[in-house]
Structure formats: structure tokens, C-alpha cells
Amino acid sequence: MKVFYNPTHHQHYPPFEVFDGGEKVVNFEKPERMERILDALQSDPRFEICAPTDFGLAPIQAVHDSAYLDFLRTAYQEWLLEPTNYPKQVLLPATSPPDGRKGRIPATLLGRAGYYMTDLSCGIVEGTYQAALASAQCALSGANELITGARQVFALCRPPGHHAGRANCAGYCYINNAAVAANWLSSHGKTAILDIDYHVGNGTQDIFYERADVLTISIHADPDYDYPYFSGFADETGAGPGLGFHRNYPLPLGTTDADYFATLGQALERIRAFQPAYLVISAGMDIYAEDPLGQIRITRAGIAHIGREIAALQLPTLIVMEGGYNNAALGLNVAAFLQAWL
Ligand code: OKP
Ligand code: ZN
């Protein structure tokens, strides 16, 4: 199984994030996550670690707003020019638009930061844009493999992507890797995205909400209890031509293997009925019982079982790395998930 990976992500490591309630903590989304995963995969010769191809900006611009991408590209350097009386570590906003971003886009850098950065877990440092681009190219390289006949491929993406919307970053995500890949695949055949990260793939939901050619499904902690709070509810099912082509499966906190499998079964049934040519998995391992951010309790054996159930769809499948923050367990969890495709 090919694994696309680019070490450029090391340039992206915001020193802290701000939790809900205002607590300032060391970023949970760390470069070390990738080292742990690589360690686990490199011990198995069936994984082939490959450098991604650069497919340029066009497939990313097809999903994200150009002014937003410009902001990501230039924000840090612009910020360095701002006179401040504090040491510059990471760009984070302290304002957000009260009108749901319906008004004009602010001219000032800090105004644009408040406009495009929709929470405090997506700080921008010098290497953020380059890392996010490299991450998206891993997903595109995976998509390219499927188009040229591969049955399965793993995009080892960092930073993750599924909270990034058409014109915003959030929750450690800047460019929506899975959405960029799925959008590209969709020009070759109907594509389904199944998001199993603990958190709802709200950026992915946003990007495909009015489209019928890409089915998006997310299984996640009920947003009535956990981040990202504002979407991921069961009554959000798509709009316009996309009505019926989005599904959310919110789960109660504390959900264990058996209940998760029952919900997964419903999601997989919808994917079968859609008859996609390609499947993209947003694979977050924060569903794991011992994850420091997740509050459901899926065992490692459960993660392996989820992999087997998805693989049984027998679809050309691109697995895209999203979250998972128990670094000691992360490599083994990813390896357990991928076993079914080897
Ligand atoms: C990204 B992914 C905890 C706040 C954490 C950010 C979570 C981002 C998760 N109180 N906020 O979906 O794994
Ligand atoms: Zn997550």
C-alpha cells in the first residue's frame, strides 16, 4: 500500500492553542504524530512510503476561496510588519464577525484573521501555508493513484483538513485535504466521503453541501456536547441539488464499539446505495478510548473492525489522515485501521 508523506509539515508547529474557556495549552496537534505513525508503518514492508507529486494550486483553488488562500499565504509575513509590543509567536485573532461573515472582508490583517480563522486552534506560523499545501498534495497524489487504477492508498496528511471550509480555517485545519482529493476524483466518477474522525467534518460538509455528485457522511461526537458545536446535527442533510447527499451521525459521549458499529452499518448502507466510483475516508483516530481530546471509547480492535467493514465495500479507497492525539497509541491505531486493505 502506498503511503504519501511529505516532511514539510515540521515547519508547522504553532506553540499553543486556546481551548474553549480560554485555557492556553501546548498544541495537541504536533509534528510528533507523524513520526509515531511512520514508526509503526515502516516496520511493515507492505507499506511503501512515497513522496507526493506537486499537482499545483488549481485543484486546491477548485475547493477553496482564492482570497482565503491568499490570506493563508501572506498572513504571517504581513503580521511581522505590524508593530506590536509583544513577541510574535503565532498569529491568532481576538475578534470574530458578529454577522456570520455576511459583511465586508476587513482590510486590516487582524480583521482578516478574525474573518478567516474561526476558532483558536488554527494558529498561523511561518511554515503553516507551505505545510498545508504539502499536506493537500499528499491527498491529491493519493487521488491520482486511484484514478490510475490503485485500489487503496493512504495519504499521511499533516496538518489535517476536515474542519477547513471553503473560506476558513479551524480546528488544526487550513486546507481541506480530503475535500480537495474528493473534488478531483469527482471529475472521474461519483465520490463518497466517509468521515470517522471523532469531530464532525464540518468543513467537508460545508464544501459539498449543495452537491449531489459527492456524498458526504460523518460519524462523530454529538455537537451538542463537543467541538465544533455549530454543525454536525442529524437534521443537516444537504441543500438545493445536494439535498439528501449529506448525512451526520452524531453519537453520545461514551459510545463504545458495539453501538459505533451499528451506526457505521447505517452509514455504509448509504454509501452502497449511492454506488460511488471512489471512496475517501477522513480517518481520525481520536475515536480511540484513550484519546485526550475524544470522549467516545473505541478500542484498537474496534478500529481494526471499522477498517474491515469499510474495506468490505470493495471500492477504490483513499484514506486521508485527520486527527488522533494519543501519540503513544497513534501508530498502532493507524496500522490497525489499515490492516484490512493490505
Ligand atoms: C481536530 B480534528 C478542546 C478544544 C479543541 C480543537 C479540536 C480540533 C480537532 N476543548 N479544539 O477533528 O481532530
Ligand atoms: Zn478530531
Side-chain angles (χ1 to χ4, degrees), residues 2 11 14 29 31 47 58 60 85 118 126 166 239 242 265 267 270 305:
K2 284 192 175 171
Q11 298 171 28
E29 201 288 292
F47 293 108
I60 298 169
N85 54 7
T118 54
E126 188 164 17
R166 176 164 288 278
R270 286 199 179 275
H305 181 83

Side-chain angles (χ1 to χ4, degrees), residues 38-110:
L38 284 171
D39 282 350
L41 301 188
Q42 275 162 347
S43 63
D44 185 335
R46 292 172 297 177
F47 293 108
E48 182 194 349
I49 315 292
C50 307
T53 301
D54 188 350
F55 291 95
L57 214 51
I60 298 169
Q61 289 167 325
V63 160
H64 288 286
D65 176 78
S66 297
Y68 166 63
L69 292 172
D70 286 344
F71 167 78
L72 281 185
R73 179 170 53 81
T74 60
Y76 191 82
Q77 294 303 326
E78 280 186 59
W79 185 48
L80 291 184
L81 301 174
E82 300 257 330
T84 54
N85 54 7
Y86 52 86
K88 290 191 171 83
Q89 284 187 280
V90 51
L91 175 60
L92 282 172
T95 48
S96 63
D99 62 355
R101 307 203 305 164
K102 288 182 191 69
R104 62 190 289 166
I105 298 170
T108 55
L109 170 72
L110 292 173

Side-chain angles (χ1 to χ4, degrees), residues 122-278:
C122 56
I124 292 176
V125 295
E126 188 164 17
T128 297
Y129 180 66
Q130 288 307 328
L133 282 183
S135 189
Q137 297 300 341
C138 289
L140 282 166
S141 297
N144 185 55
E145 289 293 311
L146 296 192
I147 290 164
T148 53
R151 296 296 297 179
Q152 61 268 311
V153 56
F154 180 40
L156 182 46
C157 293
R158 178 180 184 275
H162 72 150
H163 297 305
R166 176 164 288 278
N168 74 291
C169 52
Y172 314 142
C173 300
Y174 305 84
I175 292 175
N176 194 318
N177 308 309
V180 167
N183 181 62
W184 210 34
L185 287 167
S186 74
S187 62
H188 296 263
K190 280 200 301 183
T191 301
I193 305 178
L194 174 62
D195 189 319
I196 63 159
D197 188 279
Y198 169 80
H199 305 93
V200 60
N202 57 330
T204 310
Q205 171 175 336
D206 167 53
I207 287 164
F208 296 109
Y209 207 63
E210 298 191 11
R211 284 174 58 171
D213 61 328
V214 179
L215 173 72
T216 51
I217 297 186
S218 181
I219 307 172
H220 49 262
D222 191 332
D224 270 341
Y225 301 109
D226 211 335
Y227 179 90
Y229 309 120
F230 305 112
S231 68
F233 300 101
D235 61 359
E236 298 160 358
T237 58
L243 188 63
F245 294 92
H246 177 75
R247 291 285 163 172
N248 287 317
Y249 291 94
L251 299 170
L253 300 189
T255 294
T256 52
D257 286 359
D259 288 339
Y260 191 99
F261 300 158
T263 300
L264 177 67
Q266 294 174 39
L268 296 178
E269 206 37 64
R270 286 199 179 275
I271 292 170
R272 277 193 194 91
F274 181 67
Q275 297 188 299
Y278 300 107

